[in-house]
Amino acid sequence: MKSSNTFITGYDKNTEWLLDWFLKNHSKYSDTQIITYNFDEFKAPIQGMKNWFKKPFAMLDAAKNYKKVCWIDLDCEILAPIDNIFKYTEPNRLGMVEDVPWTRRRGRKWHNSGVVVFEGKPKILEDWAFTVSMNTTEVGDQEVLHSMLKDDLQRMIHINDLPRDYNTLRIDLMDGTAPKNIKIMHWTGAKGKEVIRGKMND
């Protein structure tokens, strides 16, 4: 029998320095367990995959034992209670926050894969994992997913929009598009990691 809900995240030798910081923040604001995947050891079906392309496979692995799963990237700072995120799942869809900075810059709607919540095993998740395993051109898992969802109809079918306070991006702060009362602050990129290092040293 499956347990109810779990958060998951992943790390490797290059990002392990973030793990304790991330877990401490999670423990402050969540009563739901979190599972960590060591991507240096986690075996995906295709050998030689970049570690961060293993993310969809970790989600599928967690779905074997939990009804609802929420992935959170390690560079996300949890700032408020987040367990309510599981109420936003919809059958056969991935719950994600719109990446407003990328949407504005690229002229098409994007979603950010730093926080992904789902129930069961959506077909789009299985398709995402397969496409990631075949990928030779895209730079990240988010880009792979976007390339699969080629139009607004596909995005509406496979993705439900989460409230933006569950994944506010560093560039949202720069653009003035950040929501109020942020629950998860996503410190993306090298500049974001420097912010995190500063917080660790405070």
Side-chain angles (χ1 to χ4, degrees):
M1 182 177 177
K2 287 188 178 182
S3 301
S4 52
N5 305 332
T6 190
F7 289 101
I8 64 171
T9 193
Y11 67 95
D12 61 14
K13 63 183 179 181
N14 295 317
T15 57
E16 190 172 5
W17 64 275
L18 291 160
L19 188 59
D20 284 347
W21 171 82
F22 175 88
L23 292 175
K24 286 177 183 176
N25 290 331
H26 176 269
S27 66
K28 289 180 187 176
Y29 295 111
S30 175
D31 293 323
T32 303
Q33 71 169 346
I34 185 160
I35 298 170
T36 60
Y37 285 85
N38 182 344
F39 284 161
D40 289 326
E41 299 176 356
F42 180 66
K43 302 298 183 184
I46 305 299
Q47 289 190 344
M49 288 180 64
K50 293 179 181 178
N51 277 342
W52 288 104
F53 286 124
K54 296 178 181 179
K55 182 194 295 188
F57 293 100
M59 296 183 202
L60 287 170
D61 183 72
K64 297 174 184 176
N65 298 310
Y66 296 91
K67 295 176 182 176
K68 296 186 178 185
V69 175
C70 182
W71 167 277
I72 308 181
D73 280 1
L74 274 185
D75 57 356
C76 289
E77 182 180 10
I78 300 168
L79 299 170
I82 57 171
D83 288 348
N84 278 349
I85 196 170
F86 292 103
K87 76 178 184 180
Y88 293 104
T89 62
E90 296 182 5
N92 301 312
R93 302 175 86 190
L94 301 176
M96 302 173 71
V97 171
E98 181 184 357
D99 191 322
V100 171
W102 278 36
T103 295
R104 289 187 169 190
R105 286 162 173 75
R106 306 204 177 192
R108 293 174 57 197
K109 189 171 184 179
W110 281 72
H111 288 84
N112 187 276
S113 64
V115 177
V116 185
V117 66
F118 60 94
E119 61 183 77
K121 192 182 291 184
K123 185 177 185 302
I124 184 61
L125 178 56
E126 295 180 305
D127 292 345
W128 186 16
F130 174 79
T131 306
V132 159
S133 71
M134 296 293 105
N135 172 65
T136 58
T137 59
E138 301 293 352
V139 298
D141 59 89
Q142 177 172 310
E143 289 80 2
V144 172
L145 182 61
H146 184 77
S147 71
M148 294 167 57
L149 306 176
K150 298 182 183 299
D151 54 48
D152 290 340
L153 178 59
Q154 288 294 309
R155 284 186 285 277
M156 289 175 61
I157 291 171
H158 295 297
I159 296 179
N160 65 299
D161 287 318
L162 298 177
R164 294 188 57 236
D165 52 349
Y166 283 102
N167 187 4
T168 302
L169 305 173
R170 176 181 61 84
I171 302 177
D172 278 314
L173 299 179
M174 296 169 53
D175 290 357
T177 55
K180 297 180 180 179
N181 302 317
I182 298 167
K183 293 184 175 68
I184 299 175
M185 184 67 225
H186 193 172
W187 297 109
T188 55
K191 292 181 179 179
K193 305 306 179 293
E194 288 306 309
V195 173
I196 295 173
R197 288 186 188 277
K199 289 174 175 288
M200 288 179 173
N201 293 329
D202 285 345

